[in-house]
């Protein structure tokens, strides 16, 4: 497989520009003037990043910073899902999807002046692999990675022990963004705090004050941006100042008063304040796994498939979107979001059907108890859900789900934990339901999460039919072969209620009158190369 012609790339770039405009409720109108270099964008994020090294973290707050610091081997068109050149101007994929050869463009350098060459790419990928579980996303992308070979100074071959068709898309993510060899002379902890964080991206790290702010500065001489970017050369902004503001009301008030240029994580209740009056909102649903109740099928009442299916039928997804969220949020229609390549519409299978839920429970011998919660052989129909407040509306959504499930006699108990505690509980398998979403613009995120050879959050036995479908979609980059396998995987997850999809997370970013072209890349992370401010 090779990259596209220059004419095709131009068409892709135009399509991406139109798509980004379409998913915005009013970015950079004609009255905004022409883009001009200079100035600082002051942008609020909702939590203190646990790490600013793009190769390590998995949270939006961290990745919205890290994306600006590194370039990737490839890029992904947000509109079509197509993989396009970036640091690599062409590539070949082995017939069995176990080898990927990238031909690097010339002239790209890291911020320490060293070249982005094949040896640097090898050092970077070996470094991500060495991080192990600390590479929260990259470790899954590189699970079967074995080695990199420097074919010549501008050509590198990456080899895998098993078919890894997903890797081509993974190569477009910031989690596999390339760092300079000198970065690996620092520890992983040092890089998390910006020390030695040397990328080839359009911005460079300047400072990180815990629970206060992170400052990035424009990279001088940058001239190797993705063809999907809207302009060539350096970024427009002199600086990006990320203000860490956990309280949604403070973010809203600061933007309304002009103390901020833009804010991420606009809450549904605040969206109307940024519609008009010089403000704009940019929105994009996250691709990947939607927010869901993920069942551990080895725990408590969730060992009973009919109980899990009843829970799925009792969830009123439209009520969740209409009551707790906003029109920017879609009810889930599959375990994958609609923006994910090879998504399958399973809305009929996920229809709200409380009567059907009651019939399943009646047939299973679950009878109403004195408090309305069903019982069977002295056991209450109850399960806990472990969650963290990484999305501000999580608790409100779960409280509504709790009410919905109580109507069929199911007691959903809420267990709020910190993000770190939730990760520990997940890794230990000590949960009944997990509440989470995972962002990735490729269906292989299902393998990473459900396969018994990977995350296996459902704790399924090896050799089950879902494993076979997940392996098949990973075996080839040919969409004609991948699509049926990806569809089968989505169907099996929904039909067996290994996870109960609820809603698609949407990124909602509000900008003030002076901030323009705050955009998203394919994984719905911020892409600020084309962003500019008025009056710079």
């Amino acid at each position: 497989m090779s990259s596209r012609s220059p004419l095709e790339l131009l068409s892709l770039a135009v399509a991406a520009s139109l798509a980004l405009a379409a998913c915005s409720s009013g970015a950079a109108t004609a009255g905004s003037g022409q883009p001009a270099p200079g100035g600082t964008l002051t942008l609020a994020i909702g939590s203190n990043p646990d790490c600013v090294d793009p190769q390590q973290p998995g949270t939006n707050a961290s990745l919205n910073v890290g994306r600006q610091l590194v370039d990737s081997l490839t890029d992904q068109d947000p509109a079509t899902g197509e993989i396009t050149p970036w640091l690599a101007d062409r590539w070949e994929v082995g017939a069995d999807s176990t080898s990927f050869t990238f031909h690097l463009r010339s002239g790209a350098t890291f911020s320490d002046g060293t070249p982005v060459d094949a040896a640097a790419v090898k050092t970077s990928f070996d470094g991500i692999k060495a991080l192990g579980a600390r590479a929260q996303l990259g470790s899954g992308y590189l699970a079967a990675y074995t080695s990199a070979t420097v074919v010549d100074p501008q050509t590198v071959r990456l080899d895998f022990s098993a078919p890894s068709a997903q890797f081509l898309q993974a190569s477009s993510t910031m989690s596999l963004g390339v760092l300079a060899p000198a970065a690996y002379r620092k520890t992983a902890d040092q890089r998390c705090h910006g020390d030695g964080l040397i990328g080839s991206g359009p911005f460079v790290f300047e400072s990180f004050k815990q629970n206060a702010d992170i400052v990035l500065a424009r990279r001088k001489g940058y001239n190797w941006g993705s063809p999907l970017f809207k302009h060539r050369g350096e970024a427009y902004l002199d600086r990006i100042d990320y203000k860490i503001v956990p309280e949604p009301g403070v973010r809203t008030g600061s933007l309304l008063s002009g103390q901020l240029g833009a804010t991420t994580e606009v809450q549904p209740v605040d969206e109307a304040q940024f519609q008009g009056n010089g403000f704009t909102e940019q929105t994009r649903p996250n691709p990947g796994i939607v927010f869901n109740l993920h069942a551990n099928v080895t725990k408590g009442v969730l060992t009973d498939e009919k109980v899990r299916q009843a829970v799925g039928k009792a969830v009123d997804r439209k009520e969740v979107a209409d009551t707790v969220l906003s029109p920017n949020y879609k009810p889930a229609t599959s375990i994958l979001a609609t923006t994910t390549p090879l998504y399958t519409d399973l809305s009929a299978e996920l229809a709200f059907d409380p009567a059907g839920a009651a019939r399943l429970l009646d047939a299973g011998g679950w009878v109403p108890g004195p408090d309305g919660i069903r019982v069977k052989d002295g056991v209450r129909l109850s399960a806990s859900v472990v969650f963290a407040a990484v999305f501000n509306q999580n608790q409100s959504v779960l409280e509504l789900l709790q009410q919905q499930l109580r109507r069929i006699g199911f007691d959903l108990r809420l267990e709020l934990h910190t993000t770190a505690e939730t990760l520990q509980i997940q890794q230990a398998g000590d949960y009944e339901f997990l509440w989470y979403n995972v962002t990735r613009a490729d269906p292989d995120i299902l393998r990473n999460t459900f396969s018994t050879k990977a995350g296996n959050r459902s704790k399924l036995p090896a050799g089950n039919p879902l494993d076979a479908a997940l392996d098949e979609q990973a075996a080839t980059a040919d969409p004609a072969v991948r699509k049926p396998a990806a569809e089968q995987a989505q169907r099996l997850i929904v039909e067996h209620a290994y996870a109960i999809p609820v809603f698609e997370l949407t990124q909602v970013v509000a900008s003030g009158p002076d901030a323009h072209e705050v955009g998203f890349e394919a994984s719905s992370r911020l892409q600020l190369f084309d962003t500019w401010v008025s009056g710079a």
Side-chain angles (χ1 to χ4, degrees):
M1 178 178 178
S2 64
S3 61
R4 287 168 160 66
S5 70
L7 181 59
E8 289 175 306
L9 292 178
L10 179 59
S11 298
L12 287 168
V14 171
S17 298
L18 293 173
L20 287 175
C23 70
S24 158
S25 64
T29 63
S32 301
Q34 294 299 313
T40 297
L41 175 69
T42 304
L43 171 73
I45 55 178
S47 60
N48 186 67
D50 49 1
C51 180
V52 294
D53 176 2
Q55 295 180 349
Q56 296 187 54
T59 64
N60 279 336
S62 298
L63 295 172
N64 280 333
V65 176
R67 175 72 282 178
Q68 322 313 320
L69 298 171
V70 291
D71 299 322
S72 301
L73 289 173
T74 64
D75 202 0
Q76 185 174 20
D77 189 322
T80 67
E82 294 284 345
I83 305 302
T84 67
W86 195 346
L87 288 176
D89 56 21
R90 57 190 176 90
W91 54 84
E92 295 88 42
V93 180
D96 59 357
S97 297
T98 60
S99 69
F100 300 78
T101 301
F102 293 92
H103 304 272
L104 304 177
R105 64 186 300 166
S106 60
T109 61
F110 296 105
S111 57
D112 64 354
T114 58
V116 180
D117 58 14
V121 172
K122 171 179 170 56
T123 299
S124 194
F125 277 82
D126 288 348
I128 300 169
K129 182 70 172 181
L131 286 169
R134 290 194 65 146
Q136 293 182 35
L137 301 177
S139 60
Y141 304 161
L142 297 182
Y145 171 78
T146 55
S147 64
T149 301
V150 175
V151 178
D152 63 46
Q154 294 302 114
T155 308
V156 61
R157 188 184 73 243
L158 306 178
D159 293 307
F160 294 75
S161 61
S164 300
Q166 57 82 27
F167 174 70
L168 191 58
Q169 186 277 335
S171 71
S172 74
T173 67
M174 75 208 72
S175 300
L176 300 186
V178 182
L179 291 176
Y184 300 97
R185 294 199 281 269
K186 300 290 185 176
T187 68
D189 282 334
Q190 287 174 316
R191 295 199 303 276
C192 267
H193 295 91
D195 184 9
L197 195 54
I198 307 166
S200 67
F203 292 90
V204 296
F205 175 82
E206 190 167 282
S207 64
F208 181 10
K209 298 176 183 175
Q210 290 285 340
N211 298 303
D213 67 359
I214 302 163
V215 179
L216 309 183
R218 176 169 52 188
R219 168 79 189 277
K220 303 297 184 183
Y222 184 86
N223 194 32
W224 45 86
S226 163
L228 295 179
F229 292 173
K230 296 181 182 180
H231 78 280
R232 306 275 73 85
E234 298 178 2
Y236 290 129
L237 297 169
D238 284 338
R239 279 181 170 73
I240 307 169
D241 187 354
Y242 295 87
K243 298 295 186 185
I244 299 164
V245 186
E247 175 53 50
V250 175
R251 295 197 299 272
T252 296
S254 298
L255 181 54
L256 289 170
S257 66
Q259 298 175 66
L260 294 172
T263 181
T264 62
E265 302 177 59
V266 177
Q267 297 305 294
V269 69
D270 295 325
E271 288 177 15
Q273 299 184 69
F274 302 118
Q275 294 166 358
N277 300 318
F279 293 94
T280 59
E281 285 182 356
Q282 290 77 33
T283 66
R284 189 173 194 271
N286 284 40
I289 294 177
V290 301
F291 265 110
N292 71 97
L293 294 167
H294 194 130
N296 180 342
V297 303
T298 68
K299 290 281 191 177
V301 302
L302 302 184
T303 60
D304 185 339
E305 182 172 293
K306 293 190 182 305
V307 166
R308 302 194 307 269
Q309 291 171 333
V311 170
K313 290 179 179 295
V315 170
D316 187 344
R317 295 162 182 83
K318 185 176 186 301
E319 184 184 30
V320 171
D322 290 348
T323 304
V324 181
L325 302 172
S326 79
N328 282 326
Y329 295 80
K330 294 181 179 180
T333 52
S334 176
I335 187 63
L336 293 178
T338 52
T339 47
T340 315
L342 306 186
Y343 148 88
T344 296
D345 184 354
L346 300 176
S347 50
E349 290 81 354
L350 292 172
F352 177 48
D353 183 13
R359 286 194 295 271
L360 283 170
L361 296 175
D362 289 342
W366 294 96
V367 299
D371 61 353
I373 301 303
R374 292 177 182 252
V375 293
K376 177 181 178 181
D377 301 328
V379 175
R380 282 169 58 84
L381 187 60
S382 178
S384 63
V385 54
V386 171
F387 74 103
V390 291
F391 173 56
N392 284 91
Q393 300 300 116
N394 272 350
Q395 180 145 349
S396 297
V397 169
L398 288 170
E399 287 172 351
L400 179 55
L401 294 180
Q402 190 178 50
Q403 295 171 25
Q404 293 177 351
L405 295 181
R406 190 171 185 86
R407 294 170 196 155
I408 64 161
F410 188 102
D411 176 29
L412 182 68
R413 307 187 311 275
L414 311 188
E415 290 189 11
L416 175 62
H417 294 271
T418 66
T419 302
E421 289 168 347
T422 300
L423 182 61
Q424 291 173 349
I425 291 168
Q426 171 201 311
Q427 291 173 340
D430 188 20
Y431 53 86
E432 293 174 309
F433 278 127
L434 271 180
W435 175 255
Y436 71 96
N437 81 304
V438 183
T439 298
R440 188 181 179 189
D442 190 274
D444 195 67
I445 190 61
L446 296 176
R447 182 190 58 81
N448 188 248
T449 308
F450 287 88
S451 172
T452 63
K453 305 168 188 175
N456 195 16
R457 293 188 185 183
S458 295
K459 305 305 174 188
L460 300 173
N464 65 80
L466 179 56
D467 269 354
L470 294 172
D471 286 348
E472 187 176 353
Q473 67 80 35
T476 177
D478 182 354
V481 178
R482 278 195 93 193
K483 183 173 176 57
E487 178 177 341
Q488 176 69 356
Q490 291 168 74
R491 288 190 179 279
L492 287 169
I493 290 165
V494 168
E495 290 172 359
H496 293 282
Y498 297 141
I500 315 299
V502 179
F503 74 92
E504 297 186 15
L505 179 65
T506 294
Q507 297 303 311
V508 182
V509 176
S511 301
D514 293 334
H516 313 287
E517 299 289 352
V518 176
F520 297 109
E521 41 87 270
S523 295
S524 296
R525 318 294 191 193
L526 290 181
Q527 178 57 270
L528 302 178
F529 177 79
D530 291 305
T531 304
W532 58 283
V533 293
S534 301

